[in-house]
Each structure stands twice: as C-alpha cells, then as structure tokens.
Amino acid sequence: MAWKRKKHYYSCRKKWIRRRKWIICFIILGMILFSFIRMFNHWIEPQLQVIAKQQSSIAMNNIVRQILQTMEYDTSSLLNIERDEDGYITNVDVDTIQLNQLLYEMLHTVDRSLEAAEEGEVDPTLDQTLYENGVIYQLPIGYLTHLPFLSNFGPKLNIRFRMLNDVSGHFQLQCSPYGVNNTLVELYLVVELQAEVLTVLSISEYTHTLKLPIIVEIIHGQTPQMYQNWTSPVL
C-alpha cells in the first residue's frame, strides 16, 4: 500500500509541476504580448494619427469643393458698388440677405454630403458613392516602417471619419489695396468641421477649417490726375 501511495503522490506532483509550467508559460507569453502591444501602440499610434488626420482633411476638402462647384449663384448680385455722379466709388457693400440664404444652402448641402460619405451611401448631390463603406483611406501597415521596400506590404488599416455635429461656417470679407487706386475684394466661405478619426487602434477628435473663395474681384477706382499726366523724364 505504501508504494501505491508514493506512486500516486509522485504522479500528482508531476501533474502539478506540468500545470505550473504551463501557467508560468502563459503568464510569460501574456506579459510579452502585452509589452509588444504597448510598444507597438506607442510607436505606431502617433504616426497613424497624423496620417489619419491628413487623409480625413483631404477627404473633407474634396467633398466640400465638389459640392460647392455644383451650386449656382450670381456673384455680381452679392456685391453692391455705389458711385457718385463723377464716377467715384463711395461705398462697397454685400447683400447680407442673399449671403445668409446662400450660407444656409451651402452648409446644409455640405452636411448632407458628409453624412452620406461617412455612411458609405450615395451622395444626394453628386449622385454617386464617394467612399465605399465609409472608408476614406486604406493604409498598408508596412508604410509605418518608413522603409520604401515595405511601404506597400502588410495588412491595410481602414481610416474613417465621423461628424460630431452639424457643419458650421460664416463668410469673411477682405478688402486690400491693389495697384493705383484699385481695391481687391475677396469674399471667403469659412467652413468649420468637427469630426472623429476612426482607426483600428484609436479614435481621436479634431477640428478642420476650410477657407474657400466665393468672390475675387478687382474694383477700379478713379486714377489721380498726377498719374495720368506723368511721363518719364528723358535722360
């Protein structure tokens, strides 16, 4: 009976040692995997965020510009130039009512298009799908190594964006001297977008601002008499 007890004891001991080895191996592998993931995220995350924000900005720029190019508006009716009896410019003003209507139409149209692109649906204005499944860019993971021969290799990371709120914006009017008694009038549409950039590893918020020209016009003023009669001296 004693030898049976000893055999059973050693058998149980061997099983326990074997289990303990497996437990230790799993713990070591888990720690190595955790350290690798942490180092990988620490190294990859900043690069991925920069590229993701760049590609999101490019995608938003393309969407907004394509949408605004399809919209029709009369720029001459937006700018009012008043002159006196002698032809001198007395006032330059904009039609605020038309500008407010145009601003609402532009922002509403852009907002609908961005929502469609986010969901990978057909754009209501362009009548086409701009980004399949809402993926605006696919980045090969080898690109993050900065090695040319690996830049197109490895699994691809999908980059998406998600709007956080409605598109907001305003018009910005700038007037500056241009030559002799000429004025350069520039009217810009400033669009502000708040979005999230989504990747496999992280989600981050950021604000993107676009400044798009609506009117760029040179207003010619009255040329002073001294410039009209001036001639170069003969040496």
Side-chain angles (χ1 to χ4, degrees), residues 6-226:
K6 289 183 179 181
K7 185 177 180 181
H8 179 71
Y9 170 77
Y10 285 117
S11 177
C12 293
R13 181 178 177 84
K14 287 181 180 179
K15 290 181 180 180
W16 165 245
I17 293 175
R18 193 180 299 113
R19 289 177 182 176
R20 188 170 62 177
K21 288 181 179 179
W22 279 109
I23 293 173
I24 294 174
C25 289
F26 278 122
I27 293 175
I28 294 175
L29 288 176
M31 294 177 63
I32 294 175
L33 182 61
F34 176 78
S35 301
F36 175 77
I37 294 175
R38 187 172 182 180
M39 291 177 61
F40 182 82
N41 286 344
H42 180 74
W43 176 55
I44 293 295
E45 181 75 14
Q47 302 180 64
L48 186 59
Q49 282 299 314
V50 171
I51 296 174
K53 289 181 180 180
Q54 288 177 349
Q55 295 301 325
S56 296
S57 299
I58 292 173
M60 291 180 183
N61 286 346
N62 292 335
I63 294 172
V64 173
R65 292 181 187 276
Q66 289 184 53
I67 296 304
L68 294 184
Q69 286 177 359
T70 62
M71 301 186 66
E72 297 181 357
Y73 52 90
D74 185 10
T75 57
S76 60
S77 63
L78 300 176
L79 195 63
N80 300 323
I81 303 175
E82 298 178 5
R83 298 177 183 269
D84 59 12
E85 298 177 354
D86 299 326
Y88 289 97
I89 298 175
T90 59
N91 187 35
V92 177
D93 199 4
V94 293
D95 191 332
T96 56
I97 296 178
Q98 289 196 39
L99 282 181
N100 288 332
Q101 294 176 350
L102 181 61
L103 179 63
Y104 172 78
E105 293 177 3
M106 287 181 170
L107 296 181
H108 180 66
T109 305
V110 168
D111 188 59
R112 292 174 58 197
S113 296
L114 288 174
E115 288 181 355
E118 174 187 333
E119 300 295 334
E121 299 175 352
V122 177
D123 188 278
T125 303
L126 302 177
D127 197 23
Q128 60 177 326
T129 303
L130 298 178
Y131 299 102
E132 293 290 342
N133 300 320
V135 178
I136 61 175
Y137 192 74
Q138 289 185 318
L139 179 69
I141 199 169
Y143 181 85
L144 300 174
T145 62
H146 299 289
L147 299 175
F149 60 91
L150 293 178
S151 59
N152 292 324
F153 289 93
K156 294 183 178 180
L157 304 176
N158 293 333
I159 298 176
R160 295 179 172 88
F161 74 88
R162 181 170 58 200
M163 300 302 299
L164 293 177
N165 53 18
D166 294 336
V167 179
S168 61
H170 62 276
F171 284 112
Q172 184 179 26
L173 181 65
Q174 296 180 355
C175 299
S176 57
Y178 190 84
V180 180
N181 269 24
N182 298 326
T183 302
L184 178 62
V185 178
E186 300 168 289
L187 180 66
Y188 292 95
L189 172 64
V190 181
V191 181
E192 298 175 355
L193 307 171
Q194 291 187 351
E196 284 182 337
V197 180
L198 288 77
T199 64
V200 178
L201 301 177
S202 64
I203 299 176
S204 62
E205 299 181 8
Y206 84 111
T207 302
H208 182 57
T209 303
L210 292 81
K211 189 176 181 181
L212 306 170
I214 302 299
I215 298 177
V216 179
E217 185 173 344
I218 299 175
I219 300 177
H220 300 281
Q222 194 74 18
T223 305
Q225 191 70 22
M226 60 177 293

